[in-house]
Amino acid sequence: MQATINPIIEMYSRLATTYDDDLNQQSCWGRAVEKALASLIKRDDYQLVLDVGRGTGRALSRIAGNSRPGMEFIGIDPAKNMRGRAIERTKQNRNIKILDGSFEKRPLEARSIDYMYSIFAFHWMTDLEASVKEIARVLKPAAEMDLFFIGRNNGREFIQRTSPIFLKYMGPALFLDSTRTRKELKKEEAFQLFAATLPPERLSIEKNRTKPTMTL
Amino acid sequence: MKPQLEIELADLIIKWVRKNTQTNGNGQVELTGYTNLIESGLLDSIEFVELIVFMERQTGCNIDLTDVDPGEFTTVEGLSRIALRNVQ
């Protein structure tokens, strides 16, 4: 049986060799990633930290490099070439494992994760409910999580400026295909989705006023 | 002279964009057949997908965007031509 090819995963895999170029890192998205990364608060009592959709491992190696001895890290990504870059980048860090996986399916034990974060990957999941169930499965009951993702109906000026660039480089067909693939949740939809599986009293969703992102 | 179908389709697209930009907060932006619908902020990418669905319903044909020029793709005039190329 032939495996289904996800065009977004394929695209990211193709981009892996240039993903860390200065041009990308200094772009509006690169700066947004830096800002999100800087806002993460990692507690010293975490034992196992998970980064979902971690790309080339840039964020993961920085966070792991500043952690206390004994803290373990797992980075998962479905794009093969991204994993290859991440393995190369983190090979000196014995406390980092890079694995194949996605929001919908993670090769992790139940209730094993103390802290999970993901920066601008959650909107690419293909199955909303399966993704949230899988998040709930792998998190410890008292675990913490920060998700940064593209939401709907915010950051319109940002979209106005970036869409022509995406269109120029992707072309109309891929531009619309990627739009159809992306899940852009409204704030209320995101809350309902997560509250169906995770404790509502522990959920908080913030909309970024200038960029089309939400933080959960 | 433009074909009548192209004029009619352009008119339908303009009406659709006007209706949708009233609800997305960009109702004050000037809209002509040559306005860039994305750079002007009139539509975002999801609204653009919805516009393409609307056009496919109106023409009864799938719109093939392979090899379409991004400049032609973003204006009402251009979209009308693209859609009718798929009909013919």
Side-chain angles (χ1 to χ4, degrees):
Chain A
M1 192 163 75
Q2 193 175 7
T4 307
I5 293 173
N6 180 322
I8 300 302
I9 295 172
E10 292 295 306
M11 183 182 76
Y12 274 102
S13 206
R14 281 199 307 274
L15 291 173
T17 52
T18 56
Y19 198 73
D20 290 328
D21 287 358
D22 282 349
L23 198 61
N24 193 32
Q25 296 306 318
Q26 289 165 17
S27 69
C28 48
W29 279 112
R31 293 198 303 272
V33 168
E34 280 297 315
K35 196 173 172 186
L37 194 54
S39 72
L40 299 181
I41 298 172
K42 179 170 56 64
R43 287 193 345 223
D44 273 348
D45 59 341
Y46 295 146
Q47 293 173 334
L48 187 55
V49 174
L50 173 66
D51 178 341
V52 183
R54 48 91 280 279
T56 61
R58 192 181 171 97
L60 191 57
S61 62
R62 267 173 50 184
I63 289 179
N66 295 325
S67 66
R68 67 157 174 79
M71 195 181 289
E72 301 283 326
F73 295 82
I74 294 175
I76 64 172
D77 201 291
K80 185 181 176 185
N81 293 342
M82 287 287 192
R83 286 198 306 277
R85 301 278 291 186
I87 289 169
E88 182 63 24
R89 182 194 292 279
T90 59
K91 63 184 177 189
Q92 303 298 329
N93 302 70
R94 303 181 80 179
N95 59 340
I96 299 179
K97 276 186 197 164
I98 304 296
L99 302 173
D100 182 10
S102 62
F103 268 102
E104 294 88 341
K105 194 171 182 183
R106 270 160 272 169
L108 304 172
E109 289 179 20
R111 299 183 167 206
S112 58
I113 304 297
D114 294 285
Y115 177 59
M116 173 186 150
Y117 69 91
S118 177
I119 300 174
F120 302 141
F122 184 71
H123 45 265
W124 292 123
M125 77 296 183
T126 52
D127 186 330
L128 287 166
E129 290 181 3
S131 298
V132 178
K133 281 182 183 167
E134 185 65 353
I135 288 172
R137 184 185 73 81
V138 301
L139 293 181
K140 288 180 180 175
E144 297 183 322
M145 173 175 76
D146 285 307
L147 293 185
F148 296 79
F149 57 94
I150 296 177
R152 185 77 186 124
N153 292 343
N154 55 332
R156 202 169 179 94
E157 287 178 13
F158 182 81
I159 291 170
Q160 185 179 343
R161 289 183 186 179
T162 53
S163 290
I165 300 167
F166 289 128
L167 181 58
K168 179 181 172 185
Y169 289 102
M170 298 169 94
L174 187 55
F175 177 72
L176 291 192
D177 278 351
S178 71
T179 302
R180 289 185 190 103
T181 306
R182 203 168 58 229
K183 309 285 189 298
E184 289 192 9
L185 294 167
K186 293 176 184 167
K187 188 176 176 182
E188 312 77 51
E189 291 171 338
F191 187 85
Q192 284 173 11
L193 174 70
F194 283 93
T197 308
L198 298 168
E201 67 278 8
R202 294 190 62 204
L203 294 174
S204 157
I205 299 178
E206 292 173 25
K207 287 169 80 169
N208 186 315
R209 288 185 183 177
T210 56
K211 292 187 177 63
T213 57
M214 291 189 201
T215 310
L216 180 75
Chain B
M1 198 171 136
K2 274 191 247 177
Q4 186 60 26
L5 267 178
E6 192 177 316
I7 296 168
E8 287 176 16
L9 184 57
D11 190 42
L12 284 170
I13 295 171
I14 284 183
K15 283 179 181 160
W16 188 95
V17 173
R18 285 213 171 105
K19 184 181 165 194
N20 283 274
T21 51
Q22 288 302 322
T23 56
N24 71 18
N26 282 297
Q28 304 305 314
V29 178
E30 186 188 7
L31 172 60
T32 73
Y34 302 98
T35 305
N36 187 312
L37 299 171
I38 289 181
E39 285 183 9
S40 63
L42 281 164
L43 300 181
D44 67 15
S45 54
I46 289 184
E47 289 158 348
F48 222 93
V49 169
E50 291 165 354
L51 172 59
I52 297 294
V53 170
F54 168 77
M55 288 166 56
E56 287 178 339
R57 283 191 187 141
Q58 294 300 316
T59 60
C61 289
N62 288 333
I63 297 174
D64 182 6
L65 295 171
T66 312
D67 299 328
V68 165
D69 177 59
E72 188 178 29
F73 171 74
T74 52
T75 67
V76 172
E77 293 281 329
L79 284 168
S80 306
R81 284 195 299 274
I82 293 166
L84 292 176
R85 281 204 295 268
N86 286 267
V87 173
Q88 289 154 4

mmCIF file with all atom_site columns, all heavy atoms in Angstrom, chain A residues 56-75:
data_model
loop_
_atom_site.group_PDB
_atom_site.id
_atom_site.type_symbol
_atom_site.label_atom_id
_atom_site.label_alt_id
_atom_site.label_comp_id
_atom_site.label_asym_id
_atom_site.label_entity_id
_atom_site.label_seq_id
_atom_site.pdbx_PDB_ins_code
_atom_site.Cartn_x
_atom_site.Cartn_y
_atom_site.Cartn_z
_atom_site.occupancy
_atom_site.B_iso_or_equiv
_atom_site.pdbx_formal_charge
_atom_site.auth_seq_id
_atom_site.auth_comp_id
_atom_site.auth_asym_id
_atom_site.auth_atom_id
_atom_site.pdbx_PDB_model_num
ATOM 1   N N   . THR A 1 56 ? 15.104 21.958 12.448 1.00 0.00 ? 56 THR A N   1
ATOM 2   C CA  . THR A 1 56 ? 16.527 21.601 12.414 1.00 0.00 ? 56 THR A CA  1
ATOM 3   C C   . THR A 1 56 ? 17.144 21.506 13.812 1.00 0.00 ? 56 THR A C   1
ATOM 4   O O   . THR A 1 56 ? 18.352 21.347 13.934 1.00 0.00 ? 56 THR A O   1
ATOM 5   C CB  . THR A 1 56 ? 17.311 22.648 11.614 1.00 0.00 ? 56 THR A CB  1
ATOM 6   O OG1 . THR A 1 56 ? 17.152 23.908 12.266 1.00 0.00 ? 56 THR A OG1 1
ATOM 7   C CG2 . THR A 1 56 ? 16.826 22.740 10.183 1.00 0.00 ? 56 THR A CG2 1
ATOM 8   N N   . GLY A 1 57 ? 16.339 21.649 14.843 1.00 0.00 ? 57 GLY A N   1
ATOM 9   C CA  . GLY A 1 57 ? 16.845 21.466 16.206 1.00 0.00 ? 57 GLY A CA  1
ATOM 10  C C   . GLY A 1 57 ? 17.498 22.700 16.800 1.00 0.00 ? 57 GLY A C   1
ATOM 11  O O   . GLY A 1 57 ? 18.112 22.629 17.871 1.00 0.00 ? 57 GLY A O   1
ATOM 12  N N   . ARG A 1 58 ? 17.356 23.821 16.137 1.00 0.00 ? 58 ARG A N   1
ATOM 13  C CA  . ARG A 1 58 ? 17.991 25.058 16.593 1.00 0.00 ? 58 ARG A CA  1
ATOM 14  C C   . ARG A 1 58 ? 17.520 25.446 18.003 1.00 0.00 ? 58 ARG A C   1
ATOM 15  O O   . ARG A 1 58 ? 18.324 25.674 18.906 1.00 0.00 ? 58 ARG A O   1
ATOM 16  C CB  . ARG A 1 58 ? 17.655 26.167 15.592 1.00 0.00 ? 58 ARG A CB  1
ATOM 17  C CG  . ARG A 1 58 ? 18.425 27.434 15.725 1.00 0.00 ? 58 ARG A CG  1
ATOM 18  C CD  . ARG A 1 58 ? 17.913 28.409 14.654 1.00 0.00 ? 58 ARG A CD  1
ATOM 19  N NE  . ARG A 1 58 ? 18.443 29.737 14.836 1.00 0.00 ? 58 ARG A NE  1
ATOM 20  C CZ  . ARG A 1 58 ? 19.490 30.197 14.179 1.00 0.00 ? 58 ARG A CZ  1
ATOM 21  N NH1 . ARG A 1 58 ? 20.116 29.453 13.308 1.00 0.00 ? 58 ARG A NH1 1
ATOM 22  N NH2 . ARG A 1 58 ? 19.912 31.427 14.391 1.00 0.00 ? 58 ARG A NH2 1
ATOM 23  N N   . ALA A 1 59 ? 16.187 25.488 18.158 1.00 0.00 ? 59 ALA A N   1
ATOM 24  C CA  . ALA A 1 59 ? 15.627 25.867 19.462 1.00 0.00 ? 59 ALA A CA  1
ATOM 25  C C   . ALA A 1 59 ? 15.959 24.829 20.524 1.00 0.00 ? 59 ALA A C   1
ATOM 26  O O   . ALA A 1 59 ? 16.348 25.172 21.646 1.00 0.00 ? 59 ALA A O   1
ATOM 27  C CB  . ALA A 1 59 ? 14.109 26.024 19.341 1.00 0.00 ? 59 ALA A CB  1
ATOM 28  N N   . LEU A 1 60 ? 15.829 23.581 20.143 1.00 0.00 ? 60 LEU A N   1
ATOM 29  C CA  . LEU A 1 60 ? 16.052 22.491 21.093 1.00 0.00 ? 60 LEU A CA  1
ATOM 30  C C   . LEU A 1 60 ? 17.483 22.499 21.633 1.00 0.00 ? 60 LEU A C   1
ATOM 31  O O   . LEU A 1 60 ? 17.709 22.337 22.841 1.00 0.00 ? 60 LEU A O   1
ATOM 32  C CB  . LEU A 1 60 ? 15.748 21.161 20.400 1.00 0.00 ? 60 LEU A CB  1
ATOM 33  C CG  . LEU A 1 60 ? 15.672 19.916 21.261 1.00 0.00 ? 60 LEU A CG  1
ATOM 34  C CD1 . LEU A 1 60 ? 14.620 20.078 22.355 1.00 0.00 ? 60 LEU A CD1 1
ATOM 35  C CD2 . LEU A 1 60 ? 15.344 18.702 20.410 1.00 0.00 ? 60 LEU A CD2 1
ATOM 36  N N   . SER A 1 61 ? 18.453 22.682 20.756 1.00 0.00 ? 61 SER A N   1
ATOM 37  C CA  . SER A 1 61 ? 19.848 22.644 21.228 1.00 0.00 ? 61 SER A CA  1
ATOM 38  C C   . SER A 1 61 ? 20.138 23.825 22.146 1.00 0.00 ? 61 SER A C   1
ATOM 39  O O   . SER A 1 61 ? 20.893 23.698 23.111 1.00 0.00 ? 61 SER A O   1
ATOM 40  C CB  . SER A 1 61 ? 20.822 22.621 20.048 1.00 0.00 ? 61 SER A CB  1
ATOM 41  O OG  . SER A 1 61 ? 20.696 23.785 19.289 1.00 0.00 ? 61 SER A OG  1
ATOM 42  N N   . ARG A 1 62 ? 19.492 24.974 21.867 1.00 0.00 ? 62 ARG A N   1
ATOM 43  C CA  . ARG A 1 62 ? 19.699 26.135 22.753 1.00 0.00 ? 62 ARG A CA  1
ATOM 44  C C   . ARG A 1 62 ? 19.092 25.900 24.124 1.00 0.00 ? 62 ARG A C   1
ATOM 45  O O   . ARG A 1 62 ? 19.702 26.179 25.161 1.00 0.00 ? 62 ARG A O   1
ATOM 46  C CB  . ARG A 1 62 ? 19.088 27.378 22.111 1.00 0.00 ? 62 ARG A CB  1
ATOM 47  C CG  . ARG A 1 62 ? 20.120 28.136 21.295 1.00 0.00 ? 62 ARG A CG  1
ATOM 48  C CD  . ARG A 1 62 ? 19.540 29.258 20.522 1.00 0.00 ? 62 ARG A CD  1
ATOM 49  N NE  . ARG A 1 62 ? 18.699 30.175 21.274 1.00 0.00 ? 62 ARG A NE  1
ATOM 50  C CZ  . ARG A 1 62 ? 18.042 31.175 20.697 1.00 0.00 ? 62 ARG A CZ  1
ATOM 51  N NH1 . ARG A 1 62 ? 18.138 31.370 19.397 1.00 0.00 ? 62 ARG A NH1 1
ATOM 52  N NH2 . ARG A 1 62 ? 17.309 31.974 21.404 1.00 0.00 ? 62 ARG A NH2 1
ATOM 53  N N   . ILE A 1 63 ? 17.864 25.387 24.137 1.00 0.00 ? 63 ILE A N   1
ATOM 54  C CA  . ILE A 1 63 ? 17.186 25.158 25.415 1.00 0.00 ? 63 ILE A CA  1
ATOM 55  C C   . ILE A 1 63 ? 17.901 24.076 26.215 1.00 0.00 ? 63 ILE A C   1
ATOM 56  O O   . ILE A 1 63 ? 18.146 24.221 27.416 1.00 0.00 ? 63 ILE A O   1
ATOM 57  C CB  . ILE A 1 63 ? 15.710 24.771 25.170 1.00 0.00 ? 63 ILE A CB  1
ATOM 58  C CG1 . ILE A 1 63 ? 14.959 26.000 24.682 1.00 0.00 ? 63 ILE A CG1 1
ATOM 59  C CG2 . ILE A 1 63 ? 15.061 24.203 26.419 1.00 0.00 ? 63 ILE A CG2 1
ATOM 60  C CD1 . ILE A 1 63 ? 13.517 25.774 24.381 1.00 0.00 ? 63 ILE A CD1 1
ATOM 61  N N   . ALA A 1 64 ? 18.275 22.997 25.528 1.00 0.00 ? 64 ALA A N   1
ATOM 62  C CA  . ALA A 1 64 ? 18.963 21.899 26.226 1.00 0.00 ? 64 ALA A CA  1
ATOM 63  C C   . ALA A 1 64 ? 20.331 22.346 26.734 1.00 0.00 ? 64 ALA A C   1
ATOM 64  O O   . ALA A 1 64 ? 20.773 21.918 27.803 1.00 0.00 ? 64 ALA A O   1
ATOM 65  C CB  . ALA A 1 64 ? 19.117 20.709 25.280 1.00 0.00 ? 64 ALA A CB  1
ATOM 66  N N   . GLY A 1 65 ? 20.967 23.221 25.984 1.00 0.00 ? 65 GLY A N   1
ATOM 67  C CA  . GLY A 1 65 ? 22.284 23.706 26.385 1.00 0.00 ? 65 GLY A CA  1
ATOM 68  C C   . GLY A 1 65 ? 22.259 24.516 27.663 1.00 0.00 ? 65 GLY A C   1
ATOM 69  O O   . GLY A 1 65 ? 23.263 24.615 28.369 1.00 0.00 ? 65 GLY A O   1
ATOM 70  N N   . ASN A 1 66 ? 21.099 25.098 27.962 1.00 0.00 ? 66 ASN A N   1
ATOM 71  C CA  . ASN A 1 66 ? 20.977 25.928 29.171 1.00 0.00 ? 66 ASN A CA  1
ATOM 72  C C   . ASN A 1 66 ? 20.258 25.201 30.308 1.00 0.00 ? 66 ASN A C   1
ATOM 73  O O   . ASN A 1 66 ? 19.783 25.832 31.245 1.00 0.00 ? 66 ASN A O   1
ATOM 74  C CB  . ASN A 1 66 ? 20.202 27.209 28.849 1.00 0.00 ? 66 ASN A CB  1
ATOM 75  C CG  . ASN A 1 66 ? 20.962 28.083 27.875 1.00 0.00 ? 66 ASN A CG  1
ATOM 76  O OD1 . ASN A 1 66 ? 22.185 28.131 27.924 1.00 0.00 ? 66 ASN A OD1 1
ATOM 77  N ND2 . ASN A 1 66 ? 20.254 28.744 26.975 1.00 0.00 ? 66 ASN A ND2 1
ATOM 78  N N   . SER A 1 67 ? 20.132 23.890 30.197 1.00 0.00 ? 67 SER A N   1
ATOM 79  C CA  . SER A 1 67 ? 19.345 23.169 31.197 1.00 0.00 ? 67 SER A CA  1
ATOM 80  C C   . SER A 1 67 ? 20.240 22.556 32.277 1.00 0.00 ? 67 SER A C   1
ATOM 81  O O   . SER A 1 67 ? 21.455 22.433 32.098 1.00 0.00 ? 67 SER A O   1
ATOM 82  C CB  . SER A 1 67 ? 18.553 22.055 30.520 1.00 0.00 ? 67 SER A CB  1
ATOM 83  O OG  . SER A 1 67 ? 19.456 21.090 30.017 1.00 0.00 ? 67 SER A OG  1
ATOM 84  N N   . ARG A 1 68 ? 19.623 22.158 33.363 1.00 0.00 ? 68 ARG A N   1
ATOM 85  C CA  . ARG A 1 68 ? 20.386 21.529 34.439 1.00 0.00 ? 68 ARG A CA  1
ATOM 86  C C   . ARG A 1 68 ? 20.795 20.121 33.998 1.00 0.00 ? 68 ARG A C   1
ATOM 87  O O   . ARG A 1 68 ? 20.099 19.488 33.187 1.00 0.00 ? 68 ARG A O   1
ATOM 88  C CB  . ARG A 1 68 ? 19.561 21.472 35.726 1.00 0.00 ? 68 ARG A CB  1
ATOM 89  C CG  . ARG A 1 68 ? 18.377 20.549 35.636 1.00 0.00 ? 68 ARG A CG  1
ATOM 90  C CD  . ARG A 1 68 ? 17.897 20.069 36.987 1.00 0.00 ? 68 ARG A CD  1
ATOM 91  N NE  . ARG A 1 68 ? 16.671 19.302 36.850 1.00 0.00 ? 68 ARG A NE  1
ATOM 92  C CZ  . ARG A 1 68 ? 16.631 18.026 36.456 1.00 0.00 ? 68 ARG A CZ  1
ATOM 93  N NH1 . ARG A 1 68 ? 17.734 17.383 36.157 1.00 0.00 ? 68 ARG A NH1 1
ATOM 94  N NH2 . ARG A 1 68 ? 15.467 17.402 36.367 1.00 0.00 ? 68 ARG A NH2 1
ATOM 95  N N   . PRO A 1 69 ? 21.871 19.588 34.522 1.00 0.00 ? 69 PRO A N   1
ATOM 96  C CA  . PRO A 1 69 ? 22.303 18.228 34.181 1.00 0.00 ? 69 PRO A CA  1
ATOM 97  C C   . PRO A 1 69 ? 21.211 17.219 34.540 1.00 0.00 ? 69 PRO A C   1
ATOM 98  O O   . PRO A 1 69 ? 20.554 17.354 35.574 1.00 0.00 ? 69 PRO A O   1
ATOM 99  C CB  . PRO A 1 69 ? 23.552 18.015 35.034 1.00 0.00 ? 69 PRO A CB  1
ATOM 100 C CG  . PRO A 1 69 ? 24.030 19.380 35.372 1.00 0.00 ? 69 PRO A CG  1
ATOM 101 C CD  . PRO A 1 69 ? 22.820 20.255 35.443 1.00 0.00 ? 69 PRO A CD  1
ATOM 102 N N   . GLY A 1 70 ? 21.008 16.257 33.696 1.00 0.00 ? 70 GLY A N   1
ATOM 103 C CA  . GLY A 1 70 ? 20.015 15.219 33.981 1.00 0.00 ? 70 GLY A CA  1
ATOM 104 C C   . GLY A 1 70 ? 18.682 15.447 33.295 1.00 0.00 ? 70 GLY A C   1
ATOM 105 O O   . GLY A 1 70 ? 17.874 14.529 33.176 1.00 0.00 ? 70 GLY A O   1
ATOM 106 N N   . MET A 1 71 ? 18.420 16.665 32.874 1.00 0.00 ? 71 MET A N   1
ATOM 107 C CA  . MET A 1 71 ? 17.162 16.929 32.180 1.00 0.00 ? 71 MET A CA  1
ATOM 108 C C   . MET A 1 71 ? 17.266 16.368 30.751 1.00 0.00 ? 71 MET A C   1
ATOM 109 O O   . MET A 1 71 ? 18.259 16.583 30.071 1.00 0.00 ? 71 MET A O   1
ATOM 110 C CB  . MET A 1 71 ? 16.883 18.440 32.136 1.00 0.00 ? 71 MET A CB  1
ATOM 111 C CG  . MET A 1 71 ? 15.439 18.770 31.760 1.00 0.00 ? 71 MET A CG  1
ATOM 112 S SD  . MET A 1 71 ? 15.121 20.564 31.696 1.00 0.00 ? 71 MET A SD  1
ATOM 113 C CE  . MET A 1 71 ? 15.166 21.018 33.403 1.00 0.00 ? 71 MET A CE  1
ATOM 114 N N   . GLU A 1 72 ? 16.234 15.618 30.329 1.00 0.00 ? 72 GLU A N   1
ATOM 115 C CA  . GLU A 1 72 ? 16.265 14.977 29.014 1.00 0.00 ? 72 GLU A CA  1
ATOM 116 C C   . GLU A 1 72 ? 15.333 15.704 28.041 1.00 0.00 ? 72 GLU A C   1
ATOM 117 O O   . GLU A 1 72 ? 14.312 16.266 28.460 1.00 0.00 ? 72 GLU A O   1
ATOM 118 C CB  . GLU A 1 72 ? 15.796 13.514 29.139 1.00 0.00 ? 72 GLU A CB  1
ATOM 119 C CG  . GLU A 1 72 ? 16.629 12.673 30.076 1.00 0.00 ? 72 GLU A CG  1
ATOM 120 C CD  . GLU A 1 72 ? 17.955 12.264 29.445 1.00 0.00 ? 72 GLU A CD  1
ATOM 121 O OE1 . GLU A 1 72 ? 17.995 12.046 28.227 1.00 0.00 ? 72 GLU A OE1 1
ATOM 122 O OE2 . GLU A 1 72 ? 18.957 12.180 30.199 1.00 0.00 ? 72 GLU A OE2 1
ATOM 123 N N   . PHE A 1 73 ? 15.685 15.648 26.769 1.00 0.00 ? 73 PHE A N   1
ATOM 124 C CA  . PHE A 1 73 ? 14.905 16.346 25.744 1.00 0.00 ? 73 PHE A CA  1
ATOM 125 C C   . PHE A 1 73 ? 14.620 15.420 24.563 1.00 0.00 ? 73 PHE A C   1
ATOM 126 O O   . PHE A 1 73 ? 15.484 14.632 24.162 1.00 0.00 ? 73 PHE A O   1
ATOM 127 C CB  . PHE A 1 73 ? 15.673 17.567 25.224 1.00 0.00 ? 73 PHE A CB  1
ATOM 128 C CG  . PHE A 1 73 ? 15.875 18.623 26.266 1.00 0.00 ? 73 PHE A CG  1
ATOM 129 C CD1 . PHE A 1 73 ? 16.911 18.520 27.180 1.00 0.00 ? 73 PHE A CD1 1
ATOM 130 C CD2 . PHE A 1 73 ? 15.007 19.695 26.356 1.00 0.00 ? 73 PHE A CD2 1
ATOM 131 C CE1 . PHE A 1 73 ? 17.088 19.481 28.155 1.00 0.00 ? 73 PHE A CE1 1
ATOM 132 C CE2 . PHE A 1 73 ? 15.181 20.660 27.343 1.00 0.00 ? 73 PHE A CE2 1
ATOM 133 C CZ  . PHE A 1 73 ? 16.228 20.553 28.245 1.00 0.00 ? 73 PHE A CZ  1
ATOM 134 N N   . ILE A 1 74 ? 13.403 15.541 24.034 1.00 0.00 ? 74 ILE A N   1
ATOM 135 C CA  . ILE A 1 74 ? 13.059 14.807 22.809 1.00 0.00 ? 74 ILE A CA  1
ATOM 136 C C   . ILE A 1 74 ? 12.516 15.818 21.799 1.00 0.00 ? 74 ILE A C   1
ATOM 137 O O   . ILE A 1 74 ? 11.669 16.653 22.128 1.00 0.00 ? 74 ILE A O   1
ATOM 138 C CB  . ILE A 1 74 ? 11.979 13.732 23.080 1.00 0.00 ? 74 ILE A CB  1
ATOM 139 C CG1 . ILE A 1 74 ? 12.545 12.647 23.998 1.00 0.00 ? 74 ILE A CG1 1
ATOM 140 C CG2 . ILE A 1 74 ? 11.498 13.115 21.757 1.00 0.00 ? 74 ILE A CG2 1
ATOM 141 C CD1 . ILE A 1 74 ? 11.513 11.611 24.417 1.00 0.00 ? 74 ILE A CD1 1
ATOM 142 N N   . GLY A 1 75 ? 13.025 15.741 20.576 1.00 0.00 ? 75 GLY A N   1
ATOM 143 C CA  . GLY A 1 75 ? 12.505 16.572 19.497 1.00 0.00 ? 75 GLY A CA  1
ATOM 144 C C   . GLY A 1 75 ? 11.918 15.668 18.435 1.00 0.00 ? 75 GLY A C   1
ATOM 145 O O   . GLY A 1 75 ? 12.563 14.707 18.026 1.00 0.00 ? 75 GLY A O   1
#
